Amino acid sequence: MEGKPRPAAAASDVTRSMDHLVAASLVGQQEFARNLGLSVTDLICFAHVAEAEAGAGPVTAGDLAARAHVTTGAVTGILNRLERGGFIHRRPDPADGRRVHVVAVPAAAERVRAVFGPYHQLLADSLADHSPDEVALIAGWLDRAVALTRTYVEESC
């Protein structure tokens, strides 16, 4: 498949569009979280738990604190709320009894997928008129933008 012709754009156009995407995403995250009875930070932490399980395995409270850019004390409150809400379980680390792994409750992960699924489908559909090379370019750029943002926040905030 070949991509469609696109109008020329400058870096400033991308930056402006990215600012608009971030703003719209913040509002969206607030609404998604509200629909699930969570705060945005709680949802971010739960998403990290669920994503990590699908890849590298269970996460710790320290992992979540770093990911959400909050203190380990704040993560304790987040985990308490997520556990009370039926989103996560805490399990002892078999290699270190002082550490706790955080795992998603499968039914809760399904509830979150049900909320995000239609949105993710719309995003996937929006890529239909892009070639595989264009999709790869977009994915790569977004991954680098995420890494750059995380580094900037760590170094500057």
Side-chain angles (χ1 to χ4, degrees):
M1 171 188 189
E2 205 172 305
K4 291 170 43 174
R6 313 226 185 262
S12 60
D13 297 321
V14 174
T15 302
R16 185 190 72 253
S17 293
M18 188 69 177
D19 286 344
H20 293 172
L21 174 60
V22 168
S25 293
L26 286 170
V27 171
Q29 289 288 359
Q30 289 170 343
E31 290 304 309
F32 293 148
R34 185 183 57 74
N35 287 339
L36 291 161
L38 299 172
S39 72
V40 171
T41 303
D42 293 357
L43 179 58
I44 288 167
C45 287
F46 179 76
H48 182 57
V49 168
E51 181 180 348
E53 282 183 31
V59 298
T60 65
D63 297 330
L64 294 175
R67 180 69 179 255
H69 210 256
V70 299
T71 65
T72 53
V75 163
T76 299
I78 292 167
L79 293 178
N80 289 343
R81 287 189 301 275
L82 288 172
E83 195 164 43
R84 275 193 312 272
F87 286 88
I88 58 109
H89 291 297
R90 294 181 238 207
R91 300 231 164 89
D93 181 336
D96 182 351
R98 297 167 296 172
R99 289 174 31 135
V100 174
H101 286 163
V102 181
V103 296
V105 171
E110 187 54 42
R111 283 179 33 219
V112 172
R113 278 191 293 276
V115 169
F116 277 89
Y119 174 62
H120 288 166
Q121 186 59 55
L122 289 170
L123 290 174
D125 293 348
S126 77
L127 294 170
D129 67 343
H130 291 276
S131 71
D133 286 344
E134 288 174 327
V135 172
L137 178 74
I138 293 165
W141 186 87
L142 287 170
D143 288 343
R144 289 189 308 279
V146 168
L148 179 147
T149 301
R150 286 186 178 142
T151 299
Y152 184 81
V153 167
E154 286 299 318
E155 294 175 357
S156 303
C157 298

